[in-house]
Amino acid sequence: MRDAGPAQRSVVSPTPANSRPGSVAVWDFPLRVWHWSLAGFVLVACVTPNTFDRLHRLAGYAVIGLVAFRLIWGLIGSRHSLFARIGLKLRAAPQYIVGMLRGETGRYLGLNPAGAAMLVVMLALLIVSTISGVMQVSVRFFGVGWIEQAHALSSNAIIALIAVHVLGTVWMSLLQRENLMRAMVTGRKRVPGIMRAAPARSVARQSPEPEPVADEEQISVVPDLPPLRVNPAPGAAKPARMPRSLSVHDRRLGVGR
């Protein structure tokens, strides 16, 4: 015999096994492997010139392959790996860097304007350094002065840019109270309260009010647009979504916004 009262069941939303509460997948696995592999091979190339020439050459060839992969992945990869509208970020980079030095930044899930500028400059320097390095050991260009100078200057610039990248990552981690280096290992980043899913509640209970978010918290879900205010003015138009269908890599990450 059934009870007279209606049964109450809890509504449970499925959650991926590798996810954490309050975080979202941002950097896909191929991009993370690329990032740390590039860091390792560049480090090997920086400490082996004129001492371990064979190892130096092998590291340089590996960097060429990694740069080629990144250029391709910027066209077919997941949302936050794309080069889409990177020109908008480059134009916003000077103002963003000034604000960053003042401790005023918007928060991006993907690359912020400073990171986009860093990526473009780094890829350009890596291309110059690796191509000039290959030319330097060829029969036709062996001993050519401007080739050797281009290789040395670009390689030194890469070392300086790596130092700036590390310092900038530490600075942004302190400003935003988030470990960005760990995010490049796990692929996940913290999400502000406005984007967190509501906790499971009984269907008979009234849904709670949205969790308040600090006024200074800003976030851009679409990585190629400026950061969006979390508390927009009433009646303001909704931000446009990226004009691109989700790729298979986005679907694997669960990116559907």
Side-chain angles (χ1 to χ4, degrees):
M1 182 175 181
R2 294 184 178 180
D3 296 334
Q8 295 183 1
R9 298 175 181 269
S10 298
V11 178
V12 180
S13 58
T15 304
N18 60 347
S19 65
R20 301 194 310 269
S23 68
V24 65
V26 176
W27 308 119
D28 56 62
F29 181 73
L31 187 67
R32 285 178 278 151
V33 172
W34 172 84
H35 179 274
W36 295 112
S37 298
L38 182 67
F41 282 115
V42 168
L43 178 61
V44 171
C46 288
V47 300
T48 55
N50 302 322
T51 54
F52 302 97
D53 288 338
R54 181 177 177 81
L55 184 58
H56 182 76
R57 247 177 267 174
L58 290 175
Y61 292 139
V63 170
I64 292 177
L66 290 171
V67 171
F69 167 81
R70 186 63 182 94
L71 294 176
I72 296 173
W73 201 247
L75 302 176
I76 65 173
S78 60
R79 171 177 293 186
H80 298 292
S81 305
L82 296 176
F83 295 145
R85 296 188 183 178
I86 200 169
L88 293 177
K89 287 188 174 184
L90 294 180
R91 289 196 293 270
Q95 182 178 359
Y96 185 89
I97 293 174
V98 171
M100 184 178 68
L101 295 176
R102 295 174 179 173
E104 303 169 356
T105 63
R107 185 167 177 271
Y108 289 72
L109 283 181
L111 285 176
N112 58 42
M118 177 75 67
L119 174 64
V120 172
V121 175
M122 178 64 77
L123 289 177
L125 288 174
L126 288 172
I127 290 173
V128 173
S129 178
T130 53
I131 291 180
S132 60
V134 172
M135 296 173 66
Q136 188 175 350
V137 297
S138 65
V139 176
R140 181 175 180 180
F141 296 99
F142 182 80
V144 178
W146 69 270
I147 296 291
E148 295 179 352
Q149 188 174 11
H151 183 68
L153 290 177
S154 58
S155 300
N156 291 334
I158 289 172
I159 297 174
L161 199 62
I162 291 173
V164 173
H165 174 58
V166 172
L167 292 176
T169 301
V170 173
W171 178 242
M172 290 299 295
S173 297
L174 294 175
L175 287 179
Q176 298 179 352
R177 297 185 294 276
E178 181 175 17
N179 191 333
L180 297 180
M181 292 185 66
R182 184 177 63 185
M184 186 52 73
V185 174
T186 64
R188 307 187 68 85
K189 294 183 70 174
R190 174 179 57 83
V191 180
I194 192 173
M195 293 182 61
R196 294 191 189 122
R201 301 286 183 181
S202 173
V203 293
R205 298 179 183 177
Q206 185 179 2
S207 59
E209 295 294 330
E211 181 181 350
V213 183
D215 292 337
E216 66 271 11
E217 179 80 315
Q218 300 177 9
I219 191 165
S220 174
V221 179
V222 181
D224 54 347
L225 296 178
L228 310 175
R229 297 281 182 182
V230 297
N231 296 321
K238 294 183 179 179
R241 295 180 182 271
M242 178 180 288
R244 171 186 177 272
S245 60
L246 296 178
S247 69
V248 63
H249 311 290
D250 291 318
R251 290 193 291 271
R252 288 175 181 173
L253 287 174
V255 178
R257 290 184 290 272

